[in-house]
Each structure stands twice: as structure tokens, then as C-alpha cells.
Amino acid sequence: MAHTSTAANTVEFGPATGLSCRECGALYDLGPIFACTECFGPLEVAYDFGEVRREDIESGPANIWRYRSLLPVPAGVAAKPNLQPGWTKLVKADRLAAELGLRSLHVKDDSGNPTHSFKDRVVAIALEAARNFGFHTLSCSSTGNLAGAVSAAAARAGLDSCVFIPADLEPAKVTMAAVYGGRLVAIDGNYDEVNRFCSELIGDELGEKWGFVNVNLRPFYAEGSKTLAYEIAEQLGWRLPDQIVIPVASGSQLTKIDKGFRELIKLGLVEERPYRIFGAQAEGCSPVSQAFKAGQDVVQPVRPDTIAKSLAIGNPADGPYVLDIARRTGGAVEDVNDQEVVEAIRLLARTEGVFAETAGGVTVGVLRKLVREGRLDPDAETVVLNTGDGLKTLDAVAEHARPAAVIRPSLDAFRAAFAN
């Protein structure tokens, strides 16, 4: 029996039919709720898709709204003021593949989104939910990229914003989150402490009519990551990759990419075939990787200590589901240290001209490690995700990116500097 919501009959969510508990299966009407009242499990969006055709998708706009028939959004979403993220490049990475010993490699480069990270995708879906529920303020707890995405999306939509971040974030991310004119609040604590504060604010009158994209709007927000799966499959010619490496912070992105692949199979949009999903974490915040290696089902929280701050979530909400997916698909969850992250950022930049932020260094670093250890098939078609722009994390590589020489403006000075 479904739990009812006063908002359920007054909003439009396209093919979405309700919310379902991922643990006990309890059903709920569509509403700004994120946890099951029966077992406290997480809720996710359920659908009745009907017929979905490739040609209808291909005729859509060059952004995530080409997949509106697969998302919890109204039919006219593309015409509303939003950042229109998505349809980012799938880079055929032949030079990186040759360096690593892979036959076929693509980089899904989400640094091309409006605020230069994949977070624009998830925020775009959450924004539509916020509009539907009559919220006037868009908010979030963030490790950096999400704060910028929320602030920009709210500015574009004409909503207020108030975003919360740990006080020690990279300066570029702080600046980007603040420039859009909303309120930016830094909290003396790590991300998990910021997130707990936001959960308390939701229950207070100060947070009334606020849409916290990754808390009370989380079931809708999380669906935005499915568009990465849809785009990768379409850009590969409507087929699934053999294996994919995905960064793990909360774990939501990985779980939703898997959900997107399974939806495409179920709808007959791609051929059913095995695929392997690999999760990537930084060693200084690797609770899911540690659980995977230990053969455990429980993810023990850790205190983050890594340069990959966008992945620094010590108590990942979707960690157990990441473990399930990695094991079910024959993949793995692995981690790399900060030095390996920096080396991978430089490797991707040198071989493919893609400047990744530290999260991208984690995924490429883990990819390299998996190949070296023989746990990833070098002959299989592989995709690795870069989820953000390296301009946001310049400090990570600053000491390795200096002028080759400082010379006077003359040929003689140039010859003298580079004679050898």
C-alpha cells in the first residue's frame, strides 16, 4: 500500500509514478521525502516508461532533456530557464590507451558542463522537483562542485540559494560557489558534519520551503546521474561498454549509472550484454574500497584525509549498494594515494589534452592500477569518467606545472636555455 502525499496530485513528473524503498519496497507518492518510514531505507524514483524509441531521443536537444521521457521531469522541461547540462564529450583516448596497454578507451569528460562538473546534471533534476513542490530556496551540503552547481542553477531559475561547505575547500570552488550571488556558508568541519547540519536545518522553521538537493530532494537529484549512462550508450552507437571506472564519493553516481544501463536494456534501447563496473576512491577516504577488499557488506565510516576533496565523504550513503554492484557485475572498488592521483592528472593531460580535477585523477589512477594488476581486461572496450575541471583544483598540480625557463626575449637567450 502506498503512503500518500499532499503534493502527489498537483505536480508533473513525467513517467515517474512514485517513490519506492530500496530496502523493503514500500511505496510512496511523489514528494520531498528521502527515507522510508517503515525501515528508514533510502527512497528512489519508480517509473512507468511506456514505449521509448531511439529516434525520439536522437531528435531531442543536445543536453540531458533529450532523455526527459526517462526522467522525473515535466514534458516541457527544456523550455524552462535552466542550465541545460549534459551531452558532454566522449573522448576516444587512443594515446592514453596506448600508455596503459588498453585496446579501446574512452574518457567521458563532464568538465564541459555549465559549471564544469557532472553536478549540473543532478541539480537540474532536483531543480524541477523544487519548482514542483513550491520551494523558494535551493540548498545543499557540498564538497565544492555541488555548491557551484546549485548556486548557478538557482540564479538561472530565479530562486534563492544557500549552500553549505566545509571551510577548507579549494579556493577556486569557494569562489565559484559565491559568485552567483546566493548565500555561501562555510562550516568548521568535514563534509559529513556539514551534511548532518543540513539534515537538522530541514526540520527547523529556518529551512521551511527549502529544497536541499541532496537531502529532501535526493531521490530526484540522484536520477540525474543516469544521464551519464544514457549518453555513454548513445555515443557508443547504442551499446554498453564492456567495463567502466566511476569515482565514488557518496556512491550515488555509480549506482545510478548501473540503473541507467539496466533501464536501457529493459526498454530494448541497447542489446543486453555483460558489463563490469569499477569504483574508484582516494586512499585517504576509501571506506568502500576497504570494505570491498575485506569482503565485508558494511562500510565503516572514516575521517577523510586526501587532496581529492570532491570525493571526501567518509560515510557514503550508497556505499553498500556500490559493493553489491561491483560484485554483481564482476568489477571491483579500488583506491590510489595522493601521489598517484597527481600522476594520473598529468598523464591524462599529457596524452589527451584533458585537464581533470582530482576526482578525475582518482579514476584514471585506479584505471591504471587495475590494468597493471591484471584485474581489468585490456582487450575490452573501457570508459573512464572525468567528472570535473582541473582549473578547480590547481593546487594539486601547481608544483609540477611551472615554466620550462624564464628567458629574455631573444633567440640567443632561447638557444642558451635549450641548447641541450
Side-chain angles (χ1 to χ4, degrees):
M1 182 176 178
H3 299 257
T4 59
S5 163
T6 56
N9 298 319
T10 62
V11 297
E12 183 190 349
F13 283 101
T17 57
L19 301 175
S20 65
C21 177
R22 291 164 75 175
E23 290 296 322
C24 72
L27 301 176
Y28 296 79
D29 288 336
L30 295 162
I33 53 175
F34 60 98
C36 176
T37 58
E38 302 291 330
C39 72
F40 304 106
L43 301 181
E44 68 175 357
V45 179
Y47 297 93
D48 181 5
F49 289 124
E51 183 184 12
V52 180
R53 304 184 304 169
R54 288 182 185 175
E55 52 264 39
D56 293 333
I57 292 173
E58 292 169 346
S59 65
N63 53 55
I64 63 171
W65 306 132
R66 69 198 286 114
Y67 308 109
R68 62 190 176 276
S69 60
L70 299 170
L71 297 169
V73 295
V77 62
K80 295 183 178 182
N82 62 75
L83 295 180
Q84 300 183 337
W87 204 242
T88 55
K89 293 180 180 178
L90 185 68
V91 179
K92 194 170 188 300
D94 291 340
R95 296 190 68 233
L96 178 59
E99 288 256 355
L100 299 180
L102 293 170
R103 180 185 61 81
S104 176
L105 176 64
H106 289 83
V107 176
K108 181 59 172 171
D109 184 14
D110 244 25
S111 66
N113 275 308
T115 69
H116 307 286
S117 92
F118 94 95
K119 292 294 187 180
D120 290 321
R121 297 175 181 272
V122 290
V123 171
I125 309 299
L127 171 62
E128 292 311 307
R131 282 171 164 151
N132 274 335
F133 298 135
F135 293 143
H136 57 65
T137 299
L138 212 59
S139 185
C140 70
S141 53
S142 173
T143 57
N145 283 324
L146 181 58
V150 166
S151 300
R156 173 69 178 136
L159 298 178
D160 293 331
S161 67
C162 184
V163 299
F164 300 88
I165 59 172
D168 66 346
L169 284 190
E170 300 96 338
K173 290 180 180 176
V174 175
T175 301
M176 188 169 192
V179 75
Y180 298 105
R183 282 177 289 174
L184 173 66
V185 180
I187 291 179
D188 186 14
N190 61 32
Y191 171 81
D192 298 290
E193 292 166 320
V194 176
N195 198 44
R196 281 196 294 272
F197 167 78
C198 288
S199 296
E200 294 174 10
L201 186 54
I202 287 175
D204 190 273
E205 61 181 11
L206 289 171
E208 188 176 354
K209 289 294 183 180
W210 286 29
F212 290 80
V213 300
N214 53 344
V215 188
N216 61 345
L217 297 177
R218 187 175 182 83
F220 305 94
Y221 158 94
E223 292 296 283
S225 288
K226 295 193 309 179
T227 61
L228 279 162
Y230 301 153
E231 286 182 23
I232 289 168
E234 184 177 356
Q235 290 169 329
L236 287 176
W238 291 107
R239 70 174 186 274
L240 303 183
D242 296 317
Q243 48 200 13
I244 182 169
V245 184
I246 303 169
V248 174
S250 73
S252 176
Q253 183 184 75
L254 185 148
T255 64
K256 294 303 179 180
I257 288 177
D258 176 63
K259 183 181 181 183
F261 284 164
R262 288 185 287 114
E263 287 175 348
L264 293 176
I265 292 170
K266 184 176 180 180
L267 291 166
L269 294 170
V270 299
E271 179 184 348
E272 182 171 8
R273 58 184 295 191
Y275 58 86
R276 302 170 73 197
I277 291 183
F278 296 85
Q281 293 202 291
E283 185 181 278
C285 186
S286 55
V288 187
S289 174
Q290 291 174 28
F292 182 87
K293 293 175 184 179
Q296 298 171 346
D297 296 324
V298 176
V299 176
Q300 298 292 339
V302 301
R303 192 163 190 87
D305 181 18
T306 173
I307 62 171
K309 295 184 184 298
S310 60
L311 301 183
I313 297 180
N315 188 17
D318 279 28
Y321 303 108
V322 170
L323 293 174
D324 291 343
I325 291 167
R327 289 164 178 158
R328 169 172 56 82
T329 64
V333 188
E334 186 53 86
D335 56 80
V336 287
N337 62 39
D338 285 354
Q339 180 179 342
E340 292 171 305
V341 171
V342 173
E343 291 172 354
I345 292 172
R346 298 176 66 199
L347 174 63
L348 179 60
R350 174 173 59 81
T351 56
E352 300 298 342
V354 174
F355 185 18
E357 70 158 298
T358 48
V362 170
T363 52
V364 173
V366 165
L367 170 66
R368 180 170 63 173
K369 185 174 185 178
L370 292 169
V371 174
R372 185 172 63 239
E373 295 180 354
R375 292 190 287 156
L376 189 146
D377 185 353
D379 293 321
E381 186 169 55
T382 306
V383 173
V384 63
L385 266 59
N386 172 44
T387 52
D389 195 321
L391 292 174
K392 295 185 178 186
T393 56
L394 289 172
D395 286 351
V397 294
E399 66 177 278
H400 303 283
R402 302 180 186 278
V406 179
I407 65 172
R408 295 184 61 79
S410 73
L411 290 175
D412 287 343
F414 181 74
R415 289 190 185 98
F418 296 98
N420 296 320

